[in-house]
Amino acid sequence: MKLTILGGGGFRVPLVYGALLGDRAEGRVTEVVLHDLDAGRLDAVTRVLAEQAADVPDAPEVTATTDLDEALRGADFVFSAIRVGGLEGRANDERVALAQGVLGQETVGAGGIAYGLRTVPVAVDIAQRVARLAPDAWVINFTNPAGLVTEAMSRHLGNRVIGICDSPVGLGRRIARVLGANPREAWIDYVGLNHLGWVRGLRVAGRDELPRLLADPGLLGSFEEGKLFGPDWLQSLGVIPNEYLHYYYFNREAVRAYQEAHQTRGAFLRDQQARFYDEMRDPSAAAFLAWDRTRAEREATYMSENRETAGAGERDADDLSGGYEKVALALMRAIARDERTTLILNVRNQHALSVLDNDAVIEVPCLVDAGGAHPVAVDPLPDHATGLVCSVKAVEREVLAAAESGSRTTAVKAFALHPLVDSVNVARRLVDGYTQVHPGLAYLG
Ligand code: G6P
Ligand code: MN
């Protein structure tokens, strides 16, 4: 079984490889091909993987290449985890937006639109190559903004592209834990778009346990989302939002905190990762230790500005292990071995959420088997959530249209229609600002 990882020199690749090393079952991945545009980054990551595999018998073989077509040929699975414009691009997304007084986060608001505009053309090119060179491969998209990028790719790959994110899984796990339920036995009633979803129920043996949580301010205040949003607001909502909804419900505070921060998240990660990749140029450096230290610091500081404005304190130790690689491996196993399972994934709606059309990619519980991921029909969202989902999906569609046509006017429309961009004039200035700093937006004539 051959797995190709696009963005193979990326920082989170060792997480994926670590998960593969733990898989001893028949039909597992035996061959990993890393593709990246940057040979230096490929070398660094290859060294970390070699140290991870040192004591593991029959570890999947790793090769690296800068030739995309060669990487894709013969692949059974393709993980796409690219970052167009690098972390410098992410830092610029934040800076330009904050200068206009709006949010520059890589997936939400203006920053997410800018990142989407430069990523979609590259993702479409990849999808077209996969369709041609590895038509039977399954593509698992990690590239943010994950819902939008998955939808762009699905226009060429249909249901063979599936987007993943670890935040709904983490949220479900945290809720199950505070309710004393086993996360494996709980059905998480979650739906929305990527980074824009809500948990409406958590059923164990057919019984919804969420009302018990919503009735108990003590329990509500005891886990990440409860601390971020506050028990009162969660009780008002009657559902538990994904942590990224903090950027919507507490937008003013989030924007101010990011403006006042010593460094934005993208700038912090840019510098932190530059140090790691620099360190790897020394052939005697302990690669895995350097990587793991960097990873731990990254995880501990995740969403720290949001937590600070909410007075939420440090992250729980249990929340630091991520889980994104576990979702990817579970998905791959379910497809490759027909091991039926349920996962929250980004797939085409089909008929799951009636307020959106069938081709809209949504984030929803899916039954997964050898035939792929099948979304489960869900109840409607509360009205305010439906409003947000429809607005943001409309924005995503404008981003896709702008990427296809190269129309600057359409790009302005995408920014202007976003609920977190408060004026058409701001949208115009954002397009000017972004096209000045991003070579990847030169196509917007
Ligand atoms: C969460 C999100 C991902 C994001 C990751 C890392 O897991 O769901 O989409 O890539 O955090 O965030 P960071 O700010 O560390 O890059
Ligand atoms: Mn995510």
Side-chain angles (χ1 to χ4, degrees), residues 144 164-167 194-195 244:
N144 272 329
I164 68 170
C165 179
D166 59 350
S167 27
N194 178 236
H195 293 186
Y244 281 80

Side-chain angles (χ1 to χ4, degrees), residues 67-82:
D67 182 326
L68 179 55
D69 291 352
E70 180 193 314
L72 293 176
R73 267 188 213 104
D76 297 292
F77 287 92
V78 177
F79 285 5
S80 181
I82 59 169

Side-chain angles (χ1 to χ4, degrees), residues 23-369:
D23 183 10
R24 312 299 305 164
E26 182 101 2
R28 74 204 170 101
V29 170
T30 47
E31 199 188 336
V32 176
V33 178
L34 307 179
H35 172 269
D36 205 283
L37 304 176
D38 183 331
R41 288 165 62 92
L42 283 174
D43 285 347
V45 169
T46 304
R47 280 180 57 197
V48 178
L49 305 194
E51 288 187 21
Q52 285 178 286
D55 300 320
V56 183
D58 309 323
E61 184 203 340
V62 178
T63 54
T65 176
T66 52
D67 182 326
L68 179 55
D69 291 352
E70 180 193 314
L72 293 176
R73 267 188 213 104
D76 297 292
F77 287 92
V78 177
F79 285 5
S80 181
I82 59 169
R83 187 175 283 287
V84 179
L87 284 166
E88 182 66 37
R90 178 168 172 185
N92 283 333
D93 285 341
E94 295 165 335
R95 197 170 48 78
V96 169
L98 289 172
Q100 294 302 328
V102 295
L103 193 72
Q105 208 278 335
E106 65 162 342
T107 61
V108 179
I113 296 172
Y115 189 26
L117 282 170
R118 57 178 201 283
T119 305
V120 164
V122 180
V124 164
D125 175 63
I126 290 169
Q128 287 170 332
R129 282 170 199 257
V130 172
R132 206 170 61 236
L133 300 170
D136 295 330
W138 291 91
V139 177
I140 302 180
N141 178 56
F142 304 66
T143 301
N144 272 329
L148 167 67
V149 170
T150 302
E151 186 162 323
M153 296 181 93
S154 75
R155 293 182 176 182
H156 303 273
L157 292 167
N159 297 331
R160 288 206 160 253
V161 58
I162 298 166
I164 68 170
C165 179
D166 59 350
S167 27
V169 191
L171 172 57
R173 193 176 55 215
R174 286 187 281 278
I175 298 178
R177 210 162 49 209
V178 292
L179 285 167
N182 179 351
R184 288 168 194 278
E185 288 163 12
W187 172 268
I188 318 290
D189 176 355
Y190 173 97
V191 72
L193 305 183
N194 178 236
H195 293 186
L196 191 77
W198 295 261
V199 172
R200 299 94 56 82
L202 184 137
R203 278 190 284 281
V204 182
R207 190 188 140 93
D208 186 6
E209 299 286 336
L210 196 66
R212 186 158 64 81
L213 173 61
L214 287 167
D216 184 336
L219 273 188
L220 277 174
S222 71
F223 67 107
E224 181 73 13
E225 284 74 8
K227 292 179 200 166
L228 261 184
F229 295 105
D232 289 350
W233 181 234
L234 295 185
Q235 287 183 322
S236 293
L237 280 175
V239 289
I240 314 284
N242 182 298
E243 59 196 347
Y244 281 80
L245 262 307
H246 191 259
Y247 292 112
Y248 288 83
Y249 295 139
F250 294 88
N251 183 258
R252 190 174 287 221
E253 291 79 2
V255 170
R256 192 174 313 132
Y258 277 77
Q259 281 171 328
E260 287 170 1
H262 159 64
Q263 263 190 323
T264 58
R265 180 70 175 163
F268 166 75
L269 292 174
R270 175 198 62 202
D271 294 352
Q272 191 212 30
Q273 293 200 7
R275 284 194 296 277
F276 164 73
Y277 286 102
D278 264 3
E279 231 179 295
M280 286 305 98
R281 289 204 200 134
D282 170 1
S284 66
F288 182 78
L289 277 178
W291 173 79
D292 198 47
R293 188 179 1 97
T294 312
R295 179 200 58 77
E297 187 192 25
R298 178 183 189 170
E299 285 177 4
T301 53
Y302 173 67
M303 283 187 109
S304 60
E305 270 77 24
N306 304 68
R307 272 181 286 114
E308 224 169 282
T309 63
E314 308 267 289
R315 293 185 84 190
D316 262 18
D318 290 337
D319 293 338
L320 293 176
S321 57
Y324 128 116
E325 68 285 3
K326 294 190 193 106
V327 185
L329 184 66
L331 173 59
M332 217 163 45
R333 289 178 67 137
I335 293 177
R337 295 169 215 166
D338 204 14
E339 268 176 24
R340 283 165 189 239
T341 188
T342 308
L343 294 167
I344 298 173
L345 300 166
N346 289 270
V347 295
R348 282 180 163 186
N349 179 26
Q350 292 156 55
H351 298 282
L353 189 61
S354 59
V355 76
L356 293 176
D357 61 75
N358 293 350
D359 293 341
V361 166
I362 61 170
E363 195 164 80
V364 64
C366 295
L367 299 175
V368 193
D369 58 23

